């Protein structure tokens, strides 16, 4: 057993942390458990070759928040051989919520959608004692605490913990998203900071992330008494406060300010743009004549700034497939004049477009004598979806709304706008709704690559296109329109056994199936011709040189 004294405004009492890996009578490591308490702390120690399941379930109309505030796997272990997998339901056959392993660059916090949750810990054969500190609690998602998290914009601002300067509440999870002007980064300074002290910040902690999510990019995790400072590499930062059941203190007060960046990188799915300030170059002792890309023949455009703009697959750009993402990299070198010596710093500006799930991460590393500073921003994939008049997919339908006959065959194509010839597009899921906001009433056409409607036929992936057809239908209750929203997966065609080539995956298999990158797109409305006739409306066809007005571009 581990005992922790509870103080600061609470009754003096001993809070017991349950050591789940030891059986009381024999001190033999315990593997897994079935848990039903409203909240619980777990300290888990496991040896080699473990395969242990913890199942959390309670008869309550609440969901579960599970926090891995400290974890230590065997050194050099990989996610394939040693991990924690968390499932949204009562067993490991439930949908996979997320995975924790040595490569996890975050404080993992996972939330169930119902009153049950399961996690599986697997270790490899290396002789090493693994340590995991986990706590969970049931909570009502609709209950929102005052001053707990939010969106912060503008060049500067402040944030404080709930109740500050009074003690913060128990079982809080607050998330602040900070976003400043694009060509800037963020400096975060805590003027006052007082959280429960622990060497590994397992109980109450503040985590700061270099980006708009809490899934990756952890800059630091702090607790106790301090005045920490953090700096993002881009114009977005996320701050988290997590508290447990005991020992509340004053919390924090912090201020953020934006700092202009000397270089700007913009990535799209088919191009890269690097903008450098002339004044920044001059401060380094250089001008535009000293710059060149990997391919020196690609010259910049000189205006008030120095601008390199080029397709991703050109100008010496290198490409690296990293399994869950793909990265395109080019380098702007600042070359000193003269043949023998120089007293100028050796500088390279390394620009990276990293295509990840749901977004494109843009990164600039500015190196001065091999000291790296980095700058990031967020771009997006660009996909569109249109209808075509036949399965040749040669003539788009330029008509809005698109009036069709009931049971007419409709041909849909999703297009990825990219110059990379090695990318594939796969339609993973597609739903229909009578409303463009896709509210509670939806109908599955495709789910996890599987056709859910009897009339749906999908075509094999073809370069930058994902194609399918289905028969027109209408929703009951006299809804006039139908909109489609499709989740699109993008894969590297050179990767063997990618998600784009696997086709239909059942719910049980989906938990272990991987995919590369994800976005979505919406198209509509579709209406029946009888609605057109009854309204007396005459359809006007737009010139084929015009873009389809009913196509909307989304990147999620």
């Amino acid at each position: 057993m581990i005992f922790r004294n509870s103080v600061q405004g609470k009754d003096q009492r001993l809070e017991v942390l349950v050591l789940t890996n030891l059986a009381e009578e024999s001190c033999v490591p315990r593997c897994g458990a079935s848990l039903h308490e409203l909240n619980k702390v777990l300290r888990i120690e496991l040896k080699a070759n473990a395969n242990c399941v913890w199942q959390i379930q309670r008869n309550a109309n609440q969901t579960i928040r599970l926090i891995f505030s400290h974890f230590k796997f065997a050194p050099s272990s990989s996610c394939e051989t040693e991990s924690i997998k968390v499932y949204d339901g009562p067993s490991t056959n439930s949908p996979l919520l997320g995975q924790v392993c040595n490569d996890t660059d975050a404080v993992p916090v996972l939330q169930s959608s119902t009153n049950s949750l399961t996690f599986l810990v697997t270790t490899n054969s290396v002789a090493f004692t693994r340590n995991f500190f986990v706590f969970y609690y049931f909570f009502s998602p609709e209950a929102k605490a005052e001053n707990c998290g939010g969106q912060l914009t503008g060049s500067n601002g402040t944030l404080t913990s709930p109740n500050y300067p009074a003690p913060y509440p128990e079982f809080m999870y607050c998330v602040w998203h900070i976003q400043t002007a694009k060509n800037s980064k963020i400096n975060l300074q805590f003027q006052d900071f007082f959280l429960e002290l622990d060497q590994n910040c397992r109980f109450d902690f503040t985590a700061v992330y270099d980006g708009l999510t809490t899934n990756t990019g952890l800059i630091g995790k702090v607790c106790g008494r301090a005045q920490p400072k953090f700096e993002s590499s881009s114009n977005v930062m996320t701050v988290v406060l997590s508290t447990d059941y005991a020992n509340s203190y004053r919390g924090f007060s912090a201020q953020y300010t934006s700092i202009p960046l000397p270089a700007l990188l913009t990535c799209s799915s088919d191009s890269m743009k690097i903008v450098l300030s002339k004044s920044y170059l001059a401060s380094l002792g250089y001008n535009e004549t000293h710059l060149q890309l990997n391919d020196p023949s690609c010259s910049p455009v000189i205006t008030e700034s120095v601008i390199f703009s080029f397709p991703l697959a050109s100008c010496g750009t290198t490409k690296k497939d990293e399994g869950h993402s793909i990265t395109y990299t080019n380098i702007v070198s600042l070359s000193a004049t003269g043949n023998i010596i120089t007293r100028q710093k050796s500088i390279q500006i390394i620009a990276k477009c990293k295509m990840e799930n749901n977004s494109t991460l843009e990164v600039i590393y500015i190196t001065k004598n091999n000291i790296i500073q980095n700058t990031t921003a967020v771009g997006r994939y660009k996909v569109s979806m249109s209808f075509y008049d036949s399965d040749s997919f040669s003539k788009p339908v330029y008509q809005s709304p698109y009036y069709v006959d009931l049971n007419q065959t409709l041909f849909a194509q999703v297009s990825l706008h990219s110059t990379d010839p090695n990318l594939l597009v796969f339609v993973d899921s597609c739903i229909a709704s009578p409303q463009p906001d896709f509210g509670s009433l939806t109908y599955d056409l495709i789910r996890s690559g599987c056709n859910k409607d009897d009339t749906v036929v999908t075509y094999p992936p073809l370069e930058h296109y994902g194609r399918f057809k289905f028969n027109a239908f209408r929703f009951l209750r006299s809804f006039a329109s139908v909109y489609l929203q499709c989740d699109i997966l993008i894969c590297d065609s050179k990767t063997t056994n990618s998600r784009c080539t696997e086709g239909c995956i059942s719910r049980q298999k989906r938990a272990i199936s991987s995919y590369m990158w994800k976005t979505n797109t919406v198209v509509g409305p579709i209406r029946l011709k009888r609605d057109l006739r009854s309204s007396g409306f005459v359809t006007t066809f737009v010139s084929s040189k015009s873009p389809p007005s009913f196509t909307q571009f989304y990147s999620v």
Side-chain angles (χ1 to χ4, degrees):
M1 295 287 185
I2 297 176
F3 297 94
R4 178 164 149 233
N5 195 22
S6 176
V7 294
Q8 187 67 18
K10 299 182 181 179
D11 295 335
Q12 293 287 333
R13 65 191 186 276
L14 289 178
E15 298 288 353
V16 180
L17 308 187
V18 180
L19 186 59
T20 62
N21 67 302
L22 297 180
E24 292 181 4
E25 64 277 5
S26 62
C27 290
V28 176
R30 221 175 115 195
C31 183
S34 181
L35 308 170
H36 308 285
E37 293 87 345
L38 187 61
N39 59 79
K40 199 175 187 68
V41 177
L42 311 173
R43 182 176 181 272
I44 302 170
E45 291 184 0
L46 293 173
K47 302 294 185 180
N49 300 316
N51 195 63
C52 308
V53 175
W54 280 261
Q55 191 258 347
I56 307 168
Q57 190 166 19
R58 184 180 177 87
N59 187 17
N61 188 24
Q62 293 180 307
T63 57
I64 305 165
R65 181 173 288 133
L66 181 70
I67 301 176
F68 294 89
S69 57
H70 179 69
F71 52 92
K72 189 172 184 180
F73 292 91
S76 303
S77 64
S78 67
C79 297
E80 289 73 26
T81 62
E82 189 157 287
S83 68
I84 304 169
K85 292 183 178 180
V86 183
Y87 299 88
D88 190 14
S91 73
T92 55
N93 290 324
S94 304
L96 183 67
L97 267 179
Q99 177 175 268
V100 184
C101 55
N102 247 343
D103 292 337
T104 301
D105 183 24
V107 182
V109 179
L110 300 107
Q111 294 181 186
S112 68
S113 60
T114 62
N115 62 346
S116 62
L117 187 147
T118 303
F119 66 93
L120 165 67
V121 184
T122 304
T123 65
N124 60 27
S125 59
V126 176
F128 183 82
T129 300
R130 289 83 170 164
N131 291 283
F132 311 102
F133 191 91
V134 189
F135 66 92
Y136 76 84
Y137 51 89
F138 283 81
F139 71 103
S140 299
E142 63 274 8
K144 181 173 176 59
E146 292 294 324
N147 303 316
C148 183
Q151 303 285 337
L152 300 173
T153 58
S155 58
N156 57 77
T158 60
L159 56 153
T160 59
S161 56
N163 297 342
Y164 179 85
Y168 46 78
E170 62 183 15
F171 297 125
M172 297 295 293
Y173 187 72
C174 308
V175 181
W176 290 266
H177 297 289
I178 305 172
Q179 186 162 10
T180 58
K182 185 170 184 179
N183 194 20
S184 65
K185 58 183 177 179
I186 299 168
N187 180 276
L188 180 69
Q189 170 72 61
F190 287 86
Q191 283 83 25
D192 187 21
F193 190 91
F194 190 4
L195 270 61
E196 183 175 6
L197 176 63
D198 176 72
Q199 182 178 359
N200 294 308
C201 295
R202 296 172 298 175
F203 309 121
D204 302 336
F205 61 84
T206 294
V208 180
Y209 293 87
D210 194 14
L212 272 179
T213 73
T214 59
N215 298 325
T216 188
L218 180 67
I219 303 176
K221 183 177 72 164
V222 289
C223 59
R225 295 295 301 272
Q227 285 188 311
K229 290 182 181 180
F230 298 97
E231 188 171 282
S232 70
S233 60
S234 74
N235 66 322
V236 287
M237 176 186 279
T238 300
V239 182
V240 170
L241 171 66
S242 177
T243 70
D244 68 354
Y245 61 93
N247 297 351
S248 293
Y249 297 90
R250 192 166 57 242
F252 64 75
S253 173
Q255 183 173 13
Y256 76 87
T257 56
S258 62
I259 304 169
L261 290 174
L264 175 65
L265 170 65
T266 304
C267 298
S268 71
S269 55
D270 58 358
S271 66
M272 181 185 298
K273 183 178 180 181
I274 306 167
V275 181
L276 301 173
S277 162
K278 285 184 178 179
S279 60
Y280 170 65
L281 295 175
S283 70
L284 301 173
Y286 291 96
N287 60 46
E288 59 269 21
T289 63
H290 299 116
L291 306 182
Q292 67 177 32
L293 288 174
N294 281 346
D295 182 350
S297 66
C298 293
S299 301
V301 174
I302 310 300
T303 58
E304 292 82 5
S305 303
V306 181
I307 304 171
F308 289 95
S309 184
F310 49 93
L312 282 180
S314 68
C315 293
T317 304
T318 60
K319 174 181 171 183
K320 182 180 180 182
D321 182 358
E322 298 171 306
H324 61 284
S325 64
I326 189 168
T327 302
Y328 302 90
T329 303
N330 210 315
I331 299 174
V332 181
S333 298
L334 282 70
S335 303
T337 56
N339 299 321
I340 301 175
I341 68 168
T342 180
R343 291 186 172 90
Q344 292 174 282
K345 294 179 179 179
S346 172
I347 296 176
Q348 287 187 323
I349 300 171
I350 305 171
K352 294 187 177 185
C353 295
K354 187 174 183 180
M355 307 298 189
E356 296 183 312
N357 176 26
N358 295 341
S359 68
T360 301
L361 184 65
E362 301 158 333
V363 182
I364 289 183
Y365 295 95
I366 301 174
T367 72
K368 300 178 181 180
N369 292 336
N370 299 320
I371 300 173
I372 295 178
Q373 305 167 343
N374 67 337
T375 300
T376 66
V378 177
R380 291 173 176 84
Y381 278 113
K382 188 176 181 183
V383 298
S384 63
M385 182 163 59
S386 301
F387 289 109
Y388 286 74
D389 65 352
S390 71
D391 61 3
S392 67
F393 294 95
S394 57
K395 294 181 180 180
V397 175
Y398 296 119
Q399 176 188 354
S400 179
Y402 183 19
Y403 283 93
V404 300
D405 289 315
L406 193 64
N407 214 37
Q408 175 182 333
T409 301
L410 307 182
F411 301 92
Q413 175 176 284
V414 177
S415 303
L416 168 67
H417 304 274
S418 174
T419 56
D420 188 335
N422 297 318
L423 297 182
L424 286 178
V425 172
F426 177 70
V427 181
D428 180 70
S429 296
C430 200
I431 61 173
S433 174
Q435 303 294 338
D437 59 357
F438 293 85
S440 58
L441 183 59
T442 60
Y443 175 72
D444 281 356
L445 290 173
I446 304 169
R447 178 65 61 185
S448 302
C450 304
N451 298 338
K452 296 300 183 181
D453 179 273
D454 292 339
T455 68
V456 171
V457 175
T458 54
Y459 296 80
L462 176 65
E463 295 178 343
H464 292 169
Y465 306 108
R467 297 168 172 174
F468 64 96
K469 65 180 180 179
F470 65 99
N471 290 359
F473 60 90
R474 68 178 181 88
F475 282 93
L476 299 177
R477 307 177 194 168
S478 300
F479 289 106
S481 301
V482 175
Y483 296 82
L484 300 185
Q485 176 175 279
C486 298
D487 287 340
I488 311 304
L489 305 183
I490 304 166
C491 308
D492 190 335
S493 62
K494 292 185 177 180
T495 300
T496 58
N497 300 321
S498 72
R499 176 68 187 94
C500 295
T501 59
E502 287 182 312
C504 174
I505 290 185
S506 65
R507 180 173 178 175
Q508 288 76 16
K509 186 179 178 183
R510 187 173 175 79
I512 59 173
S513 177
S514 63
Y515 62 84
M516 307 292 287
W517 316 282
K518 186 176 182 179
T519 184
N520 77 22
T521 186
V522 175
V523 66
I526 309 165
R527 293 180 182 168
L528 296 180
K529 286 182 179 178
R530 69 177 187 182
D531 299 327
L532 171 65
R533 290 190 291 269
S534 65
S535 66
F537 177 75
V538 179
T539 305
T540 301
F541 288 85
V542 183
S543 165
S544 61
K545 294 183 180 180
S546 303
S549 59
F550 58 82
T551 300
Q552 303 178 43
F553 291 89
Y554 281 77
S555 291
V556 177

